[in-house]
Amino acid sequence: GEHYAFVALDLIGHLSHRIESATARIEAELSIPGDHVVVASTHTHDGPDAIGIWGPRLTKCGIDLEWLDRVDAAIVESVRRAAAALAPARLRFGEVEVPEVLRDTRAPVVTDPVLRTLHLASPGGDTIATVCVYAMHPEALGSDNTEISSDYPHFLRARCESVLGGTTIFFSGAVGGMQTPEVPANDFESCRKVGETLADRGLASIAGAAWVQAPAIRMVTRRISFPMVNPRFRAATALGIIPGQRFLEYEGRGLLKKPRVPCQTSVLAIGPVRIATLPGELFPEIAPAIRDSMRSGPKVLIGLAGNEIGYIIPSDAWDDSKYEESMSLGPETGPLLVDALRDMLTELEADLTRPR
């Protein structure tokens, strides 16, 4: 049968050219097609610089390339280990709102407070994996923290694993806008409470849920490119602060050519579950336009997957004076992504109706 892999990284983000290099190795060494592999970052704010823009000075790339090479090797190794441990699985899932740990710091206040939890277990009941998806920046420790940490996802994963066993994986959802933890203080105790609150609510949401036996899997993957309008991003890429200039695509010629950022984006069905990957930090205002094209649920959005292109902002909410716009490719990104994902979801649903 066909094999698929999902990898979560405790990173602020991971750039597409490095992800594609890792997935090419997976395809060559493990015979799993690169377009069947989703690599997403949790967007923890407490890890090393993997993008380049947080260096010791504005003109210096902040990436430790030797360390990032080890990350890419670990992506391949994690898939290798998972492939070696393949086993029959059944699926159950739950959805629950957890608004008390979340706030939106940018008007208008729009959040996606639903925690979506997938639980995969052997036919005998042993947990293989638990997948939790929630739309909130892992930044409970605050900007003054200097310790490397995966932030609240660590405590979520530890709690789930202590209760269910197996491996717990966390993905961030539509975190743009600006979705941040509601905590009394930026410290590890508050961080722990956020993670364990989410874990407990997720575990309760799947308790007693019906199992889907041997769920069918279908996937549609496309390469999409987005115009890089942001002059800061253009300058940082040209100077090598953000690596990967040679992997950009261009429209036009000569001095007038315009850069575009390529991303691998996927939609997936696992039984009734629908998943769409997002190459950056989607504002939750945009999420309904994507979920409306999903015929069943839970309707899961996995952010920072395949790339980290920054904030994906509603075009009608664009405001050049705001921080998020300074960290976005441009106002065309959101509409282009929505159109592409809607088209891909239509293709996915049509494929599911064809006999196999």
Side-chain angles (χ1 to χ4, degrees):
E2 295 183 331
H3 292 170
Y4 303 85
F6 281 74
V7 181
L9 307 176
D10 283 317
L11 294 180
I12 189 78
H14 207 35
L15 297 176
S16 60
H17 67 279
R18 296 199 69 103
I19 292 174
E20 290 174 10
S21 176
T23 57
R25 282 186 57 192
I26 290 168
E27 182 164 342
E29 297 176 22
L30 303 176
S31 299
I32 300 174
D35 60 4
H36 284 193
V37 182
V38 173
V39 179
S41 299
T42 63
H43 197 54
T44 177
H45 283 210
D46 307 310
D49 184 1
I51 303 298
I53 58 176
W54 294 283
R57 57 183 184 275
L58 287 176
T59 57
K60 176 71 173 177
C61 177
I63 295 174
D64 179 338
L65 291 175
E66 182 178 345
W67 162 75
L68 207 54
D69 286 343
R70 294 202 302 271
V71 171
D72 291 345
I75 293 172
V76 180
E77 181 60 22
S78 69
V79 176
R80 187 190 313 279
R81 293 184 184 184
L86 276 174
R90 54 182 181 163
L91 167 71
R92 62 178 177 171
F93 47 81
E95 297 180 278
V96 61
E97 290 195 3
V98 194
E100 65 268 27
V101 300
L102 170 66
R103 64 190 176 98
D104 184 359
T105 62
R106 171 169 167 157
V109 174
V110 179
T111 63
D112 179 8
V114 178
L115 172 66
R116 295 169 173 91
T117 303
L118 312 181
H119 182 216
L120 296 115
S122 71
D126 293 331
T127 294
I128 298 170
T130 306
V131 180
C132 297
V133 184
Y134 192 67
M136 182 171 71
H137 278 65
E139 57 179 7
L141 292 175
S143 58
D144 291 334
N145 174 60
T146 58
E147 296 186 65
I148 291 177
S149 170
S150 55
D151 209 270
Y152 74 82
H154 163 75
F155 297 100
L156 179 154
R157 293 186 298 238
R159 174 80 98 189
C160 288
E161 289 175 1
S162 71
V163 174
L164 292 177
T167 299
T168 298
I169 303 167
F170 176 82
F171 292 110
S172 287
V175 299
M178 185 43 204
Q179 312 304 305
T180 194
E182 179 66 80
V183 290
N186 296 122
D187 55 25
F188 278 97
E189 178 60 19
S190 298
C191 190
R192 180 187 64 79
K193 288 182 178 179
V194 168
E196 292 183 354
T197 295
L198 287 167
D200 291 343
R201 299 289 289 280
L203 292 169
S205 76
I206 61 172
W211 290 98
V212 179
Q213 305 291 340
I217 301 174
R218 300 284 189 277
M219 189 174 195
V220 174
T221 298
R222 290 186 189 172
R223 189 177 177 86
I224 307 169
S225 67
F226 302 94
M228 183 189 287
V229 178
N230 189 324
R232 296 181 184 181
F233 284 7
R234 286 192 180 193
T237 304
L239 292 170
I241 299 167
I242 299 176
Q245 183 181 30
R246 66 190 177 94
F247 299 100
L248 297 178
E249 299 172 356
Y250 292 90
E251 54 183 346
R253 306 184 69 179
L255 295 175
L256 298 178
K257 67 180 182 180
K258 300 176 182 178
R260 299 180 69 93
V261 180
C263 307
Q264 179 174 292
T265 305
S266 302
V267 297
L268 188 78
I270 307 176
V273 179
R274 298 294 183 267
I275 299 171
T277 68
L278 316 166
E281 302 162 62
L282 186 84
F283 273 44
E285 292 93 317
I286 301 175
I290 300 168
R291 290 194 170 108
D292 285 348
S293 295
M294 298 175 171
R295 291 186 184 172
S296 62
K299 300 178 178 182
V300 179
L301 303 179
I302 296 179
L304 297 105
N307 207 343
E308 160 56 317
I309 61 174
Y311 288 100
I312 303 170
I313 302 170
S315 55
D316 59 0
W318 189 270
D319 182 345
D320 285 322
S321 69
K322 298 290 183 65
Y323 165 77
E324 290 83 7
E325 279 75 0
S326 74
M327 299 294 283
S328 172
L329 290 179
E332 298 176 58
T333 305
L336 287 172
L337 178 64
V338 169
D339 287 347
L341 288 175
R342 281 175 160 174
D343 191 44
M344 293 164 66
L345 286 162
T346 298
E347 181 181 337
L348 176 72
E349 298 295 350
D351 184 51
L352 286 165
T353 64
R354 299 189 188 102
R356 288 282 178 128

Short mmCIF file of all heavy atoms in Angstrom, two decimals, residues 164-210:
data_model
loop_
_atom_site.label_atom_id
_atom_site.label_comp_id
_atom_site.label_asym_id
_atom_site.label_seq_id
_atom_site.Cartn_x
_atom_site.Cartn_y
_atom_site.Cartn_z
N LEU A 164 -2.01 7.83 27.89
CA LEU A 164 -2.35 6.89 26.82
C LEU A 164 -1.19 6.01 26.38
O LEU A 164 -1.41 4.97 25.75
CB LEU A 164 -2.86 7.66 25.59
CG LEU A 164 -4.20 8.37 25.72
CD1 LEU A 164 -4.51 9.15 24.45
CD2 LEU A 164 -5.31 7.39 26.03
N GLY A 165 0.06 6.42 26.68
CA GLY A 165 1.21 5.73 26.11
C GLY A 165 1.43 6.17 24.67
O GLY A 165 0.81 7.12 24.18
N GLY A 166 2.29 5.45 23.96
CA GLY A 166 2.56 5.79 22.57
C GLY A 166 3.27 7.13 22.43
O GLY A 166 3.87 7.64 23.38
N THR A 167 3.20 7.69 21.25
CA THR A 167 3.84 8.97 20.93
C THR A 167 2.78 10.02 20.68
O THR A 167 1.82 9.76 19.94
CB THR A 167 4.74 8.84 19.68
OG1 THR A 167 5.76 7.87 19.95
CG2 THR A 167 5.37 10.18 19.32
N THR A 168 2.94 11.19 21.27
CA THR A 168 2.04 12.29 21.00
C THR A 168 2.74 13.33 20.14
O THR A 168 3.89 13.69 20.40
CB THR A 168 1.54 12.95 22.30
OG1 THR A 168 0.80 11.99 23.05
CG2 THR A 168 0.64 14.15 22.00
N ILE A 169 2.04 13.79 19.12
CA ILE A 169 2.57 14.78 18.18
C ILE A 169 1.67 16.01 18.25
O ILE A 169 0.44 15.89 18.26
CB ILE A 169 2.59 14.22 16.74
CG1 ILE A 169 3.42 12.93 16.68
CG2 ILE A 169 3.14 15.24 15.76
CD1 ILE A 169 3.25 12.16 15.39
N PHE A 170 2.28 17.18 18.30
CA PHE A 170 1.52 18.43 18.32
C PHE A 170 1.79 19.22 17.05
O PHE A 170 2.94 19.37 16.62
CB PHE A 170 1.90 19.29 19.52
CG PHE A 170 1.21 20.63 19.54
CD1 PHE A 170 -0.08 20.77 20.01
CD2 PHE A 170 1.84 21.76 19.02
CE1 PHE A 170 -0.73 21.99 19.99
CE2 PHE A 170 1.21 23.00 19.00
CZ PHE A 170 -0.09 23.10 19.49
N PHE A 171 0.72 19.75 16.45
CA PHE A 171 0.83 20.67 15.33
C PHE A 171 0.09 21.96 15.69
O PHE A 171 -0.97 21.92 16.33
CB PHE A 171 0.21 20.09 14.06
CG PHE A 171 0.94 18.92 13.48
CD1 PHE A 171 0.39 17.65 13.53
CD2 PHE A 171 2.17 19.08 12.88
CE1 PHE A 171 1.05 16.55 12.99
CE2 PHE A 171 2.85 18.00 12.33
CZ PHE A 171 2.29 16.73 12.39
N SER A 172 0.62 23.08 15.26
CA SER A 172 -0.09 24.36 15.39
C SER A 172 -1.08 24.51 14.25
O SER A 172 -0.84 24.03 13.14
CB SER A 172 0.91 25.52 15.38
OG SER A 172 1.63 25.57 16.60
N GLY A 173 -2.18 25.19 14.53
CA GLY A 173 -3.19 25.44 13.52
C GLY A 173 -3.05 26.83 12.91
O GLY A 173 -1.95 27.27 12.56
N ALA A 174 -4.18 27.54 12.80
CA ALA A 174 -4.19 28.89 12.22
C ALA A 174 -3.80 29.89 13.31
O ALA A 174 -4.65 30.47 13.98
CB ALA A 174 -5.56 29.21 11.66
N VAL A 175 -2.50 30.09 13.50
CA VAL A 175 -1.98 30.84 14.66
C VAL A 175 -1.84 32.34 14.40
O VAL A 175 -1.49 33.10 15.30
CB VAL A 175 -0.62 30.28 15.13
CG1 VAL A 175 -0.74 28.84 15.56
CG2 VAL A 175 0.45 30.44 14.04
N GLY A 176 -2.10 32.79 13.16
CA GLY A 176 -1.92 34.21 12.87
C GLY A 176 -2.97 35.06 13.53
O GLY A 176 -3.96 34.58 14.07
N GLY A 177 -2.69 36.34 13.58
CA GLY A 177 -3.79 37.22 13.92
C GLY A 177 -3.85 38.07 15.15
O GLY A 177 -4.49 39.06 15.06
N MET A 178 -3.49 37.78 16.32
CA MET A 178 -2.29 37.11 16.76
C MET A 178 -2.65 36.20 17.93
O MET A 178 -3.00 36.68 18.99
CB MET A 178 -1.34 38.22 17.14
CG MET A 178 0.06 38.04 17.55
SD MET A 178 1.11 36.99 16.77
CE MET A 178 2.17 36.79 18.17
N GLN A 179 -2.65 34.91 17.69
CA GLN A 179 -3.15 33.94 18.66
C GLN A 179 -2.05 33.60 19.67
O GLN A 179 -1.03 33.01 19.31
CB GLN A 179 -3.60 32.68 17.93
CG GLN A 179 -4.51 32.93 16.73
CD GLN A 179 -5.74 33.74 17.09
OE1 GLN A 179 -6.49 33.37 17.98
NE2 GLN A 179 -5.96 34.84 16.39
N THR A 180 -2.25 33.97 20.92
CA THR A 180 -1.21 33.85 21.93
C THR A 180 -1.79 33.28 23.22
O THR A 180 -3.00 33.40 23.48
CB THR A 180 -0.56 35.23 22.18
OG1 THR A 180 0.66 35.07 22.91
CG2 THR A 180 -1.48 36.16 22.94
N PRO A 181 -0.96 32.64 24.06
CA PRO A 181 -1.49 32.06 25.30
C PRO A 181 -1.98 33.12 26.29
O PRO A 181 -1.37 34.18 26.44
CB PRO A 181 -0.29 31.29 25.88
CG PRO A 181 0.58 31.01 24.69
CD PRO A 181 0.43 32.20 23.80
N GLU A 182 -3.07 32.81 26.95
CA GLU A 182 -3.60 33.64 28.04
C GLU A 182 -3.02 33.08 29.34
O GLU A 182 -3.46 32.05 29.84
CB GLU A 182 -5.12 33.56 28.05
CG GLU A 182 -5.78 34.36 29.17
CD GLU A 182 -5.58 35.86 29.01
OE1 GLU A 182 -6.30 36.48 28.22
OE2 GLU A 182 -4.67 36.38 29.70
N VAL A 183 -1.99 33.75 29.85
CA VAL A 183 -1.30 33.25 31.05
C VAL A 183 -1.13 34.39 32.06
O VAL A 183 -0.99 35.56 31.67
CB VAL A 183 0.08 32.67 30.69
CG1 VAL A 183 -0.07 31.37 29.92
CG2 VAL A 183 0.93 33.66 29.91
N PRO A 184 -1.11 34.07 33.37
CA PRO A 184 -0.91 35.10 34.38
C PRO A 184 0.53 35.60 34.43
O PRO A 184 0.79 36.72 34.88
CB PRO A 184 -1.30 34.41 35.69
CG PRO A 184 -1.07 32.96 35.43
CD PRO A 184 -1.39 32.76 33.98
N ALA A 185 1.47 34.74 33.99
CA ALA A 185 2.88 35.11 33.99
C ALA A 185 3.59 34.29 32.92
O ALA A 185 3.17 33.18 32.58
CB ALA A 185 3.52 34.85 35.36
N ASN A 186 4.67 34.85 32.39
CA ASN A 186 5.45 34.13 31.38
C ASN A 186 6.51 33.29 32.08
O ASN A 186 7.69 33.66 32.14
CB ASN A 186 6.09 35.11 30.40
CG ASN A 186 5.09 35.89 29.59
OD1 ASN A 186 5.07 37.12 29.60
ND2 ASN A 186 4.23 35.18 28.86
N ASP A 187 6.08 32.14 32.61
CA ASP A 187 7.01 31.27 33.32
C ASP A 187 6.63 29.81 33.05
O ASP A 187 5.61 29.51 32.43
CB ASP A 187 7.01 31.56 34.82
CG ASP A 187 5.62 31.48 35.46
OD1 ASP A 187 4.74 30.78 34.92
OD2 ASP A 187 5.41 32.14 36.50
N PHE A 188 7.49 28.90 33.49
CA PHE A 188 7.27 27.49 33.18
C PHE A 188 6.03 26.93 33.86
O PHE A 188 5.39 26.01 33.33
CB PHE A 188 8.52 26.67 33.55
CG PHE A 188 9.58 26.71 32.49
CD1 PHE A 188 10.64 27.59 32.58
CD2 PHE A 188 9.51 25.86 31.39
CE1 PHE A 188 11.62 27.63 31.59
CE2 PHE A 188 10.48 25.90 30.39
CZ PHE A 188 11.54 26.79 30.49
N GLU A 189 5.65 27.44 35.02
CA GLU A 189 4.45 26.96 35.67
C GLU A 189 3.21 27.30 34.85
O GLU A 189 2.31 26.45 34.66
CB GLU A 189 4.34 27.55 37.09
CG GLU A 189 3.09 27.13 37.84
CD GLU A 189 2.96 25.63 38.05
OE1 GLU A 189 3.98 24.91 37.95
OE2 GLU A 189 1.82 25.17 38.31
N SER A 190 3.14 28.52 34.35
CA SER A 190 2.01 28.91 33.49
C SER A 190 2.02 28.11 32.20
O SER A 190 0.96 27.68 31.70
CB SER A 190 2.07 30.41 33.20
OG SER A 190 1.96 31.17 34.37
N CYS A 191 3.21 27.92 31.67
CA CYS A 191 3.37 27.13 30.44
C CYS A 191 2.86 25.70 30.66
O CYS A 191 2.13 25.15 29.83
CB CYS A 191 4.84 27.14 30.06
SG CYS A 191 5.23 26.46 28.44
N ARG A 192 3.23 25.11 31.80
CA ARG A 192 2.78 23.76 32.13
C ARG A 192 1.25 23.70 32.22
O ARG A 192 0.63 22.76 31.71
CB ARG A 192 3.40 23.31 33.45
CG ARG A 192 2.98 21.90 33.88
CD ARG A 192 3.48 21.56 35.28
NE ARG A 192 2.88 22.43 36.30
CZ ARG A 192 1.66 22.28 36.79
NH1 ARG A 192 0.88 21.29 36.34
NH2 ARG A 192 1.20 23.10 37.72
N LYS A 193 0.65 24.69 32.86
CA LYS A 193 -0.80 24.67 33.03
C LYS A 193 -1.52 24.75 31.68
O LYS A 193 -2.55 24.08 31.47
CB LYS A 193 -1.24 25.82 33.94
CG LYS A 193 -0.87 25.59 35.40
CD LYS A 193 -1.35 26.74 36.28
CE LYS A 193 -1.02 26.48 37.75
NZ LYS A 193 -1.45 27.60 38.63
N VAL A 194 -1.00 25.55 30.77
CA VAL A 194 -1.61 25.64 29.44
C VAL A 194 -1.54 24.29 28.74
O VAL A 194 -2.54 23.78 28.21
CB VAL A 194 -0.91 26.72 28.59
CG1 VAL A 194 -1.35 26.62 27.13
CG2 VAL A 194 -1.23 28.11 29.13
N GLY A 195 -0.34 23.68 28.72
CA GLY A 195 -0.18 22.41 28.02
C GLY A 195 -1.02 21.31 28.63
O GLY A 195 -1.66 20.52 27.90
N GLU A 196 -1.05 21.23 29.96
CA GLU A 196 -1.80 20.16 30.61
C GLU A 196 -3.31 20.39 30.52
O GLU A 196 -4.08 19.42 30.42
CB GLU A 196 -1.34 20.01 32.05
CG GLU A 196 0.09 19.49 32.14
CD GLU A 196 0.58 19.25 33.56
OE1 GLU A 196 -0.16 19.61 34.51
OE2 GLU A 196 1.69 18.72 33.73
N THR A 197 -3.74 21.64 30.52
CA THR A 197 -5.16 21.92 30.31
C THR A 197 -5.60 21.44 28.94
O THR A 197 -6.64 20.77 28.80
CB THR A 197 -5.44 23.43 30.46
OG1 THR A 197 -5.17 23.84 31.79
CG2 THR A 197 -6.89 23.76 30.10
N LEU A 198 -4.82 21.75 27.92
CA LEU A 198 -5.15 21.29 26.57
C LEU A 198 -5.14 19.77 26.50
O LEU A 198 -6.06 19.17 25.92
CB LEU A 198 -4.16 21.88 25.57
CG LEU A 198 -4.31 23.37 25.26
CD1 LEU A 198 -3.10 23.91 24.51
CD2 LEU A 198 -5.58 23.62 24.44
N ALA A 199 -4.14 19.14 27.09
CA ALA A 199 -4.06 17.68 27.05
C ALA A 199 -5.28 17.05 27.72
O ALA A 199 -5.91 16.13 27.16
CB ALA A 199 -2.78 17.21 27.73
N ASP A 200 -5.63 17.53 28.89
CA ASP A 200 -6.76 16.95 29.63
C ASP A 200 -8.07 17.09 28.86
O ASP A 200 -8.90 16.18 28.82
CB ASP A 200 -6.88 17.58 31.01
CG ASP A 200 -5.74 17.19 31.94
OD1 ASP A 200 -5.03 16.21 31.63
OD2 ASP A 200 -5.54 17.89 32.96
N ARG A 201 -8.25 18.25 28.23
CA ARG A 201 -9.48 18.47 27.47
C ARG A 201 -9.48 17.59 26.20
O ARG A 201 -10.53 17.07 25.79
CB ARG A 201 -9.62 19.95 27.11
CG ARG A 201 -9.71 20.86 28.33
CD ARG A 201 -11.04 20.70 29.06
NE ARG A 201 -12.12 21.27 28.28
CZ ARG A 201 -12.39 22.59 28.22
NH1 ARG A 201 -11.66 23.45 28.92
NH2 ARG A 201 -13.39 23.03 27.50
N GLY A 202 -8.33 17.44 25.58
CA GLY A 202 -8.25 16.58 24.40
C GLY A 202 -8.50 15.13 24.74
O GLY A 202 -9.23 14.42 24.02
N LEU A 203 -7.92 14.67 25.85
CA LEU A 203 -8.15 13.29 26.27
C LEU A 203 -9.62 13.04 26.58
O LEU A 203 -10.18 11.99 26.22
CB LEU A 203 -7.28 12.99 27.50
CG LEU A 203 -5.76 12.94 27.26
CD1 LEU A 203 -5.02 12.91 28.57
CD2 LEU A 203 -5.38 11.76 26.38
N ALA A 204 -10.26 13.99 27.24
CA ALA A 204 -11.69 13.84 27.54
C ALA A 204 -12.53 13.80 26.27
O ALA A 204 -13.54 13.10 26.21
CB ALA A 204 -12.15 14.99 28.44
N SER A 205 -12.08 14.53 25.24
CA SER A 205 -12.87 14.60 24.00
C SER A 205 -12.87 13.28 23.23
O SER A 205 -13.79 13.02 22.44
CB SER A 205 -12.36 15.73 23.10
OG SER A 205 -11.15 15.37 22.44
N ILE A 206 -11.85 12.45 23.43
CA ILE A 206 -11.81 11.18 22.70
C ILE A 206 -12.30 10.01 23.54
O ILE A 206 -12.50 8.91 23.02
CB ILE A 206 -10.41 10.87 22.16
CG1 ILE A 206 -9.38 10.76 23.29
CG2 ILE A 206 -9.99 11.92 21.13
CD1 ILE A 206 -8.01 10.28 22.83
N ALA A 207 -12.48 10.23 24.84
CA ALA A 207 -12.95 9.13 25.71
C ALA A 207 -14.33 8.67 25.26
O ALA A 207 -15.27 9.46 25.15
CB ALA A 207 -12.99 9.61 27.16
N GLY A 208 -14.43 7.42 24.94
CA GLY A 208 -15.72 6.87 24.51
C GLY A 208 -16.06 7.10 23.05
O GLY A 208 -17.14 6.70 22.60
N ALA A 209 -15.16 7.76 22.31
CA ALA A 209 -15.44 8.02 20.89
C ALA A 209 -15.41 6.71 20.10
O ALA A 209 -14.67 5.78 20.44
CB ALA A 209 -14.41 9.00 20.32
N ALA A 210 -16.22 6.66 19.05
CA ALA A 210 -16.28 5.46 18.21
C ALA A 210 -15.00 5.31 17.41
O ALA A 210 -14.39 6.29 16.98
CB ALA A 210 -17.49 5.54 17.28
#
